[in-house]
Structures are given as C-alpha cells and as structure tokens.
Amino acid sequence: MRTRATVAGGLVLVLIAVIAVWLVLRQVGDRLRLPLSSRTCTVQADGRVALDADQMANAATIAAIGAQRGMPERAVVVALATAYQESGLRNLADGDRDSVGLFQQRPSQGWGTPKQIRDPRYAANRFYAALKKVRGWESMRVTDAAQRVQRSAFPEAYQKWADDSEVLSRALLGDATGAVACSVGRTPLMRGATAAAQLTRNLVLDWGVSSTDPADQTGLAVTAGDQRDGWRYAHWLVSHAQDHGVKLVRFGGLEWTARDGTWGRVSGEQGPAGQVVAEVFAEG
C-alpha cells in the first residue's frame, strides 16, 4: 500500500510540475525566442543582430521616437530590450490578459485604448514617458529599468536582450555607417506615388524632420544636419524598405539597393552632399 501511495504521490507531483511548466511557457514562451526563418535584415555595429522585416521596422520606429523625444541612447536600449522580451519586436494584437502591442501594455492599467497601444509610435512614447519618471533609471541595469516600467512577473527576463539592443541602438541612432542591410522581396507592400507619400509621412512622424522633399512619385530626399543624422535616416529607410517599397537609399557616398540587399559605393551620381535620397519601386 505504501508503494502504491508513493507512486501515486510521485505521479501527482510530476503532473503538477508539467502543468506549471506549461503555464510558464504559455505565459512567456513565445517571447523567449525569435523566429528562426525569414530573418531578412542584418545589423552590424560592434556586434551582429538578425531580424525579419517587421521586427526591423518596429525597432527603427522605437529608436526614432526615443531620439525625437531627446532621450539618451541608454533609454533606447532599455526600450528595445523591453519590446524584444514582451513581443519579440512584433505589434501583437493580444497577449497575457488584456495586453497588446510592442510593449504588451494593458488598457486596464491606464496605458491607453487597445487601438492607441497598437500604434507603435504611441506605445513607444508612452514607454519613454514612463521610463523618464523612474528615478535613477540611467544608472540601473537594463532589466531593472525595464522592470520598473513593466512590473513583469519575470523581472530578470529583459537583461538577455541587452546586448542585441545595444547593437540595434548604435546602428539606428547613426553611430555606425551602412550598418542596416535588408533584403526586399519581389512584392513590396507599396509602390509609386502611394509608397513615396507614405514613406515621407512616416519619416516625418518618426523623426520629426521638417526638411523632407518628396521627389515626384519616385521617392524622397531629406537634408541631414550631420553624418550621424544622415545615417539615422538612411538606416530607418532601409529598415522600412519592405513595408514602404523602398528600392534604393543613398547617403555619404554609399548606397543600399533592394536588388542586392547590401551597401556599396555609389555607382552613379551621388547627389547633393549631406542629403539622404530614397527611391521607391515604380508602379506596375
């Protein structure tokens, strides 16, 4: 009888353990790993990160909003690490309880409406505003600063994304040259005048620039104040190549093309110094 009782007790403990593991994986399993396929973008800036087109575009917007708000690079690292952990840098429609969006912010906790939170710019702005209120966040570990904003049940989880987030931050904030390279499929989501207009609009919204000049129906040109700004805009444009139909980006004597998916020396006319030029796929 004792043997049977012992076996039964052991089975109950195993069952409890299995259920506990299942609950944890259900809670955070998808956030602990990024997809292994379709990583069409690479970022190299004292380290290497690979992302797919959606993740790259979201990371670029998070970084741009931080810069537009005047937040230091450390804040962008914290924001990217948080979005890495919470959503895998994806703008999720749902999550744990009522959580949605890049940062899995909850409407019931006062972060905004589900529609607002699903706007990456709104979500990033709300995150940075909350981070700024944390006293001493600048000297905290990435995971501690993120936790003070997020109040996660897994407070150490953000730290594992710190290194990748630093690589992304260096590139997206213009501290590296030709650091973001993406391959674009044959069927971009936009073309022609629609692509050029949307590209211009979103560059202005993300960066707050006012010197953007739509180039007819072919793309845009934006004047950069210095090399760092130029590479910020250039990397942002490449990051949004798939969803905005970007065919070519040129700056600082280098150009990225959708055909090659890499940066190389400008083969033709370079254009005005200090100007970032982008072309979109033509209609048809």
Short mmCIF file of all heavy atoms in Angstrom, two decimals, residues 45-49 73-85 140-146 156-170:
data_model
loop_
_atom_site.label_atom_id
_atom_site.label_comp_id
_atom_site.label_asym_id
_atom_site.label_seq_id
_atom_site.Cartn_x
_atom_site.Cartn_y
_atom_site.Cartn_z
N ALA A 45 27.04 46.45 -35.89
CA ALA A 45 27.60 47.65 -35.26
C ALA A 45 28.26 47.21 -33.96
O ALA A 45 27.63 47.24 -32.90
CB ALA A 45 26.50 48.68 -34.99
N ASP A 46 29.51 46.75 -34.06
CA ASP A 46 30.20 46.16 -32.91
C ASP A 46 29.41 44.98 -32.36
O ASP A 46 29.24 44.81 -31.15
CB ASP A 46 30.42 47.20 -31.80
CG ASP A 46 31.36 48.31 -32.24
OD1 ASP A 46 32.23 48.04 -33.08
OD2 ASP A 46 31.21 49.44 -31.75
N GLY A 47 28.92 44.17 -33.25
CA GLY A 47 28.06 43.04 -32.93
C GLY A 47 27.11 42.83 -34.09
O GLY A 47 27.00 43.68 -34.97
N ARG A 48 26.42 41.70 -34.10
CA ARG A 48 25.53 41.40 -35.23
C ARG A 48 24.18 40.91 -34.72
O ARG A 48 24.10 40.09 -33.80
CB ARG A 48 26.15 40.32 -36.12
CG ARG A 48 25.35 40.01 -37.38
CD ARG A 48 26.07 38.95 -38.21
NE ARG A 48 25.42 38.71 -39.48
CZ ARG A 48 24.36 37.90 -39.66
NH1 ARG A 48 23.87 37.25 -38.61
NH2 ARG A 48 23.81 37.74 -40.84
N VAL A 49 23.12 41.44 -35.32
CA VAL A 49 21.75 41.06 -34.99
C VAL A 49 21.01 40.76 -36.29
O VAL A 49 21.19 41.47 -37.30
CB VAL A 49 21.02 42.19 -34.23
CG1 VAL A 49 19.54 41.84 -34.03
CG2 VAL A 49 21.68 42.43 -32.88
N GLU A 73 20.75 57.50 -25.52
CA GLU A 73 20.83 56.18 -26.17
C GLU A 73 20.49 55.06 -25.19
O GLU A 73 19.92 54.04 -25.58
CB GLU A 73 22.22 55.98 -26.76
CG GLU A 73 22.35 54.69 -27.55
CD GLU A 73 23.64 54.61 -28.35
OE1 GLU A 73 24.22 55.67 -28.65
OE2 GLU A 73 24.06 53.47 -28.67
N ARG A 74 20.84 55.22 -23.92
CA ARG A 74 20.55 54.20 -22.93
C ARG A 74 19.05 53.92 -22.85
O ARG A 74 18.63 52.77 -22.65
CB ARG A 74 21.07 54.65 -21.56
CG ARG A 74 20.84 53.65 -20.43
CD ARG A 74 21.71 52.43 -20.59
NE ARG A 74 21.66 51.57 -19.42
CZ ARG A 74 22.29 50.41 -19.33
NH1 ARG A 74 23.02 49.99 -20.34
NH2 ARG A 74 22.20 49.67 -18.23
N ALA A 75 18.24 54.94 -23.01
CA ALA A 75 16.79 54.76 -22.97
C ALA A 75 16.31 53.92 -24.14
O ALA A 75 15.40 53.09 -24.02
CB ALA A 75 16.09 56.12 -22.98
N VAL A 76 16.92 54.13 -25.31
CA VAL A 76 16.55 53.35 -26.49
C VAL A 76 16.93 51.89 -26.28
O VAL A 76 16.17 50.98 -26.66
CB VAL A 76 17.24 53.92 -27.75
CG1 VAL A 76 16.96 53.04 -28.97
CG2 VAL A 76 16.76 55.35 -28.01
N VAL A 77 18.07 51.64 -25.67
CA VAL A 77 18.47 50.26 -25.36
C VAL A 77 17.44 49.60 -24.45
O VAL A 77 17.01 48.46 -24.68
CB VAL A 77 19.86 50.23 -24.69
CG1 VAL A 77 20.19 48.81 -24.21
CG2 VAL A 77 20.93 50.73 -25.66
N VAL A 78 17.01 50.31 -23.42
CA VAL A 78 16.01 49.76 -22.49
C VAL A 78 14.69 49.50 -23.21
O VAL A 78 14.06 48.45 -23.02
CB VAL A 78 15.79 50.73 -21.31
CG1 VAL A 78 14.64 50.22 -20.41
CG2 VAL A 78 17.05 50.88 -20.48
N ALA A 79 14.27 50.43 -24.06
CA ALA A 79 13.01 50.27 -24.78
C ALA A 79 13.07 49.08 -25.73
O ALA A 79 12.11 48.29 -25.80
CB ALA A 79 12.69 51.55 -25.55
N LEU A 80 14.16 48.94 -26.45
CA LEU A 80 14.29 47.83 -27.40
C LEU A 80 14.34 46.49 -26.65
O LEU A 80 13.70 45.52 -27.08
CB LEU A 80 15.53 48.00 -28.25
CG LEU A 80 15.47 49.10 -29.31
CD1 LEU A 80 16.84 49.34 -29.93
CD2 LEU A 80 14.46 48.75 -30.40
N ALA A 81 15.07 46.43 -25.55
CA ALA A 81 15.14 45.19 -24.77
C ALA A 81 13.76 44.81 -24.24
O ALA A 81 13.39 43.63 -24.20
CB ALA A 81 16.14 45.34 -23.62
N THR A 82 13.00 45.81 -23.84
CA THR A 82 11.64 45.56 -23.34
C THR A 82 10.75 45.01 -24.43
O THR A 82 10.03 44.02 -24.23
CB THR A 82 11.04 46.86 -22.77
OG1 THR A 82 11.89 47.36 -21.72
CG2 THR A 82 9.65 46.60 -22.21
N ALA A 83 10.78 45.63 -25.60
CA ALA A 83 9.95 45.16 -26.71
C ALA A 83 10.40 43.79 -27.21
O ALA A 83 9.58 42.96 -27.61
CB ALA A 83 9.98 46.17 -27.86
N TYR A 84 11.71 43.53 -27.18
CA TYR A 84 12.23 42.20 -27.51
C TYR A 84 11.56 41.15 -26.63
O TYR A 84 11.05 40.13 -27.10
CB TYR A 84 13.73 42.16 -27.24
CG TYR A 84 14.64 42.14 -28.43
CD1 TYR A 84 15.65 43.08 -28.56
CD2 TYR A 84 14.55 41.14 -29.41
CE1 TYR A 84 16.53 43.05 -29.64
CE2 TYR A 84 15.42 41.10 -30.47
CZ TYR A 84 16.42 42.05 -30.59
OH TYR A 84 17.29 42.01 -31.64
N GLN A 85 11.59 41.38 -25.33
CA GLN A 85 11.06 40.40 -24.38
C GLN A 85 9.55 40.30 -24.42
O GLN A 85 8.99 39.21 -24.40
CB GLN A 85 11.52 40.74 -22.96
CG GLN A 85 10.87 39.93 -21.86
CD GLN A 85 11.13 38.43 -21.99
OE1 GLN A 85 12.12 38.02 -22.59
NE2 GLN A 85 10.26 37.63 -21.42
N MET A 140 20.74 52.23 -13.76
CA MET A 140 20.27 50.87 -13.48
C MET A 140 20.68 49.90 -14.58
O MET A 140 20.97 50.31 -15.71
CB MET A 140 18.74 50.85 -13.38
CG MET A 140 18.16 51.60 -12.23
SD MET A 140 16.32 51.50 -12.28
CE MET A 140 15.90 52.51 -10.87
N ARG A 141 20.70 48.62 -14.26
CA ARG A 141 20.82 47.60 -15.30
C ARG A 141 19.62 47.72 -16.22
O ARG A 141 18.54 48.18 -15.82
CB ARG A 141 20.84 46.20 -14.70
CG ARG A 141 22.09 45.84 -13.91
CD ARG A 141 22.06 44.35 -13.58
NE ARG A 141 20.82 43.97 -12.90
CZ ARG A 141 20.27 42.77 -12.95
NH1 ARG A 141 20.84 41.80 -13.65
NH2 ARG A 141 19.16 42.50 -12.29
N VAL A 142 19.78 47.28 -17.45
CA VAL A 142 18.68 47.34 -18.42
C VAL A 142 17.44 46.66 -17.88
O VAL A 142 16.33 47.21 -17.94
CB VAL A 142 19.10 46.68 -19.76
CG1 VAL A 142 17.89 46.45 -20.67
CG2 VAL A 142 20.13 47.55 -20.47
N THR A 143 17.59 45.48 -17.31
CA THR A 143 16.42 44.73 -16.85
C THR A 143 15.74 45.41 -15.67
O THR A 143 14.51 45.36 -15.52
CB THR A 143 16.82 43.28 -16.49
OG1 THR A 143 15.65 42.46 -16.44
CG2 THR A 143 17.60 43.20 -15.19
N ASP A 144 16.52 46.09 -14.81
CA ASP A 144 15.93 46.76 -13.65
C ASP A 144 15.14 48.00 -14.09
O ASP A 144 14.05 48.27 -13.56
CB ASP A 144 17.01 47.16 -12.66
CG ASP A 144 17.68 45.94 -12.02
OD1 ASP A 144 17.02 44.89 -11.93
OD2 ASP A 144 18.86 46.06 -11.62
N ALA A 145 15.69 48.74 -15.05
CA ALA A 145 14.98 49.92 -15.56
C ALA A 145 13.69 49.50 -16.26
O ALA A 145 12.63 50.10 -16.06
CB ALA A 145 15.87 50.70 -16.51
N ALA A 146 13.77 48.45 -17.07
CA ALA A 146 12.58 47.96 -17.77
C ALA A 146 11.53 47.47 -16.79
O ALA A 146 10.34 47.74 -16.94
CB ALA A 146 12.97 46.84 -18.73
N GLU A 156 13.95 39.50 -14.43
CA GLU A 156 15.28 39.34 -15.00
C GLU A 156 15.26 39.07 -16.50
O GLU A 156 16.31 39.03 -17.15
CB GLU A 156 16.02 38.20 -14.30
CG GLU A 156 16.42 38.51 -12.87
CD GLU A 156 17.49 39.60 -12.80
OE1 GLU A 156 18.40 39.62 -13.64
OE2 GLU A 156 17.39 40.45 -11.89
N ALA A 157 14.07 38.90 -17.08
CA ALA A 157 13.97 38.45 -18.47
C ALA A 157 14.50 39.46 -19.47
O ALA A 157 14.95 39.09 -20.56
CB ALA A 157 12.52 38.10 -18.79
N TYR A 158 14.45 40.73 -19.14
CA TYR A 158 14.84 41.76 -20.12
C TYR A 158 16.34 41.80 -20.37
O TYR A 158 16.78 42.21 -21.44
CB TYR A 158 14.38 43.14 -19.62
CG TYR A 158 12.91 43.20 -19.32
CD1 TYR A 158 12.45 43.18 -18.00
CD2 TYR A 158 11.97 43.28 -20.34
CE1 TYR A 158 11.09 43.23 -17.71
CE2 TYR A 158 10.61 43.33 -20.07
CZ TYR A 158 10.18 43.30 -18.75
OH TYR A 158 8.83 43.34 -18.47
N GLN A 159 17.12 41.36 -19.39
CA GLN A 159 18.58 41.52 -19.48
C GLN A 159 19.18 40.73 -20.64
O GLN A 159 20.19 41.14 -21.22
CB GLN A 159 19.24 41.10 -18.17
CG GLN A 159 20.70 41.51 -18.05
CD GLN A 159 20.90 43.02 -18.04
OE1 GLN A 159 20.06 43.75 -17.53
NE2 GLN A 159 22.00 43.48 -18.62
N LYS A 160 18.57 39.61 -20.98
CA LYS A 160 19.17 38.78 -22.03
C LYS A 160 19.12 39.45 -23.41
O LYS A 160 19.79 39.01 -24.35
CB LYS A 160 18.47 37.42 -22.10
CG LYS A 160 17.01 37.42 -22.49
CD LYS A 160 16.51 35.98 -22.56
CE LYS A 160 15.01 35.92 -22.77
NZ LYS A 160 14.29 36.32 -21.55
N TRP A 161 18.33 40.51 -23.53
CA TRP A 161 18.25 41.23 -24.81
C TRP A 161 19.09 42.49 -24.81
O TRP A 161 19.09 43.24 -25.80
CB TRP A 161 16.80 41.60 -25.10
CG TRP A 161 15.87 40.43 -25.12
CD1 TRP A 161 14.87 40.16 -24.24
CD2 TRP A 161 15.85 39.37 -26.08
NE1 TRP A 161 14.23 38.99 -24.57
CE2 TRP A 161 14.82 38.49 -25.70
CE3 TRP A 161 16.63 39.07 -27.20
CZ2 TRP A 161 14.52 37.33 -26.42
CZ3 TRP A 161 16.33 37.91 -27.92
CH2 TRP A 161 15.29 37.06 -27.53
N ALA A 162 19.84 42.75 -23.75
CA ALA A 162 20.59 44.00 -23.64
C ALA A 162 21.66 44.13 -24.72
O ALA A 162 21.80 45.20 -25.34
CB ALA A 162 21.23 44.11 -22.25
N ASP A 163 22.42 43.08 -24.97
CA ASP A 163 23.50 43.17 -25.96
C ASP A 163 22.95 43.42 -27.37
O ASP A 163 23.46 44.29 -28.09
CB ASP A 163 24.33 41.89 -25.96
CG ASP A 163 25.16 41.74 -24.68
OD1 ASP A 163 25.32 42.74 -23.95
OD2 ASP A 163 25.63 40.62 -24.42
N ASP A 164 21.93 42.67 -27.76
CA ASP A 164 21.33 42.88 -29.09
C ASP A 164 20.75 44.28 -29.20
O ASP A 164 20.84 44.93 -30.26
CB ASP A 164 20.23 41.85 -29.35
CG ASP A 164 20.79 40.47 -29.68
OD1 ASP A 164 22.03 40.33 -29.77
OD2 ASP A 164 19.99 39.52 -29.84
N SER A 165 20.15 44.76 -28.13
CA SER A 165 19.54 46.08 -28.15
C SER A 165 20.60 47.17 -28.27
O SER A 165 20.37 48.21 -28.91
CB SER A 165 18.71 46.30 -26.88
OG SER A 165 17.63 45.38 -26.83
N GLU A 166 21.77 46.95 -27.71
CA GLU A 166 22.86 47.92 -27.86
C GLU A 166 23.35 47.97 -29.30
O GLU A 166 23.65 49.05 -29.83
CB GLU A 166 24.00 47.57 -26.90
CG GLU A 166 23.67 47.85 -25.44
CD GLU A 166 24.79 47.45 -24.50
OE1 GLU A 166 25.81 46.92 -25.00
OE2 GLU A 166 24.65 47.65 -23.29
N VAL A 167 23.43 46.83 -29.95
CA VAL A 167 23.82 46.79 -31.36
C VAL A 167 22.81 47.57 -32.21
O VAL A 167 23.19 48.41 -33.04
CB VAL A 167 23.92 45.33 -31.86
CG1 VAL A 167 24.15 45.30 -33.38
CG2 VAL A 167 25.05 44.60 -31.15
N LEU A 168 21.53 47.29 -31.98
CA LEU A 168 20.48 47.99 -32.73
C LEU A 168 20.52 49.49 -32.47
O LEU A 168 20.38 50.29 -33.40
CB LEU A 168 19.11 47.43 -32.35
CG LEU A 168 18.77 46.04 -32.87
CD1 LEU A 168 17.44 45.58 -32.28
CD2 LEU A 168 18.69 46.03 -34.39
N SER A 169 20.71 49.87 -31.22
CA SER A 169 20.73 51.29 -30.88
C SER A 169 21.87 52.02 -31.57
O SER A 169 21.68 53.12 -32.11
CB SER A 169 20.84 51.48 -29.36
OG SER A 169 19.70 50.97 -28.71
N ARG A 170 23.06 51.43 -31.56
CA ARG A 170 24.20 52.08 -32.21
C ARG A 170 23.91 52.33 -33.69
O ARG A 170 24.22 53.41 -34.22
CB ARG A 170 25.46 51.21 -32.06
CG ARG A 170 26.11 51.31 -30.69
CD ARG A 170 27.49 50.68 -30.70
NE ARG A 170 27.43 49.23 -30.82
CZ ARG A 170 27.35 48.40 -29.79
NH1 ARG A 170 27.31 48.86 -28.55
NH2 ARG A 170 27.32 47.09 -29.98
#
